[in-house]
Amino acid sequence: MGKPTGFIEYARQEAPVRPPMRRLEDFGEFHGSLGKEARREQAARCMNCGVPFCQSGMTLGGMVTGCPLHNLIPEWNDCVYRGDEEGALERLLKTNNFPEFTGRVCPALCEVACLCGVGDSPVTVRDNELSIVERAFSQGYMVPRPPAVCTGKRVAVIGSGPAGLACADTLNRRGHTVTVYEKSDRAGGLLMYGIPNMKLDKSVIARRVALMEAEGVRFVLCADIGRDIPFAEVRAQYDAVVLCCGAGEPRPLPAAEGAKGVLYAVDYLTAVTRSLLDPQSVQDVPPTRGKQVVVVGGGDTGNDCVGTALRLGCAGVVQLEIMPKPPEQRGENNPWPEYPRILKTDYGQQEAIAVGGKDPRLFSTTVKSIETDARGQITAVRTVRTVRGKDGKIGEEAGSEQRFACDLLLIAAGFTGCRPYVAEQSGVARTARGTLATADGGYATAQAGVFAAGDARRGQSLVVWAIAEGRACAAAVDEYLEQIG
């Protein structure tokens, strides 16, 4: 513990953030950084608890609290306070392959479990984590470290999202020869095209991929296994194959089926990111300027759509959330260290408030029907308030119908599992949730030498969980490779 009285002497200070109206001017990352001395003070607030819930990653009340990667948070906070930059990096990378990703997009499960937050404010764990790895890049500590020994075993990882990257990186460090197949034109999966640039600048992903390539990982792009290349062809070339192809089957909105001007959220976000990376593809971005936008879905992806539409100059945006509005304070039935089931107002909603003066979200609301013109173009949505009956089922509130003008409807209602062709081609069964079935909650499928991890196995989840899945799956693959000799 660097400074026993640090949590008493120093107040929480988060990294600076550009004001909403300023950051709406571009797609650049809007979080800044603290100076070295201020960051030392923030690390000094860590109490080095006897039981560090921040790194527990345990399930309480049906939700996870604490870091799923079990990051050694008190240890690297102590290193930051003492000025031991290389020590902090070593402890951080021991459990997290990509802190530059989690330090930007993780909802900080560690912080909600921080004991310092019970009577005060939690330690700025996520900001501290990001500062460690970014300083390491700037100081030249992050250099290629190819494995010293090669096992001669070959592994194919299908999908280059956070699970695929973590699995590939971990297996490569074990000395196996790893090839990552990605169906898109750039590596990163949803990190690249599902998360907007203002949350995760794409140069950060490219920097990490380049480092992995220098360490021996091979990337094959524009290779959709199961469509462009038969799965059997890949399986025949490798000792093991890992399916990290995500949960890309979007949940449909039957009421809007077939209408023009209706898009799935990830398709919209992908088109916008492509236009930033390749200006020649800007024509593929659905017209947004001056349009009335309605977003269906109140989660992170829905929030990203709100922020993106505002940056593209929409005339107005409404976000529909089928669930009731959460309370602003913890309830008695939601004590610490459980994950707080409270209202969260994210960056996109903050920006909408700055522009329009009110929260864009309508809770307990869903689309009942839509209106279209003679060309089939959507012109309006009709909504209805939802209520939960005694049987637990969601129904409609009588007389609650509303009409909203809508030129562009974005569906961010989640996903229903992996793409069906992945399971069909690989021969791996799917669960009732549409995910790839594995044995006994592990990572091995019923197909010998075929494994699954990340959203494809777990279902739609967080980046930090995907990294944890990729690491754990790599351990299972490594054990399998040892067994087959």
Side-chain angles (χ1 to χ4, degrees), residues 108-345:
L109 304 179
C110 50
E111 293 187 21
V112 300
C114 176
L115 181 60
C116 196
V118 176
D120 193 358
S121 298
V123 174
T124 56
V125 179
R126 183 175 60 188
D127 286 352
N128 293 0
E129 172 185 316
L130 183 59
S131 72
I132 293 170
V133 69
E134 287 300 327
R135 188 161 179 82
F137 272 109
S138 67
Q139 295 297 310
Y141 301 146
M142 296 295 291
V143 296
R145 293 182 174 85
V149 178
C150 180
T151 66
K153 298 297 183 182
R154 292 164 51 84
V155 182
V157 176
I158 301 176
S160 67
L165 291 178
C167 188
D169 186 54
T170 305
L171 286 169
N172 182 63
R173 293 181 186 284
R174 290 290 293 171
H176 306 305
T177 301
V178 184
T179 300
V180 179
Y181 291 89
E182 168 56 48
K183 68 178 183 294
S184 189
D185 62 335
R186 289 179 173 86
L190 285 182
L191 291 170
M192 177 60 69
Y193 286 125
I195 298 176
N197 198 76
M198 54 273 196
K199 284 175 67 175
L200 176 60
D201 192 284
K202 304 314 163 187
S203 65
V204 175
I205 304 169
R207 179 180 65 183
R208 173 57 72 168
V209 169
L211 183 60
M212 290 178 64
E213 287 179 318
E215 292 176 334
V217 178
R218 177 172 172 253
F219 288 85
V220 180
L221 306 178
C222 299
D224 193 350
I225 307 303
R227 285 182 172 164
D228 300 336
I229 304 173
F231 177 83
E233 181 179 317
V234 174
R235 180 68 188 93
Q237 299 177 49
Y238 295 89
D239 298 292
V241 176
V242 185
L243 299 171
C244 295
C245 39
E249 191 68 13
R251 180 173 285 107
L253 184 66
E257 192 171 342
K260 297 178 182 178
V262 179
L263 284 175
Y264 286 114
V266 171
D267 293 339
Y268 180 67
L269 296 174
T270 295
V272 174
T273 298
R274 283 191 191 281
S275 72
L276 298 175
L277 298 172
D278 180 12
Q280 292 183 346
S281 66
V282 69
Q283 69 273 7
D284 298 328
V285 178
T288 306
R289 183 167 298 280
K291 305 294 185 181
Q292 295 291 338
V293 178
V294 175
V295 179
V296 179
D300 289 341
T301 303
N303 171 72
D304 291 338
C305 287
V306 171
T308 298
L310 288 170
R311 280 165 175 76
L312 293 179
C314 69
V317 60
V318 174
Q319 185 179 10
L320 308 180
E321 168 57 78
I322 196 170
M323 301 303 293
K325 183 178 181 179
E328 296 188 5
Q329 302 293 332
R330 282 183 184 268
E332 292 184 359
N333 63 342
N334 181 212
W336 181 91
E338 289 184 1
Y339 189 86
R341 296 188 290 273
I342 59 176
L343 181 68
K344 174 186 175 184
T345 302

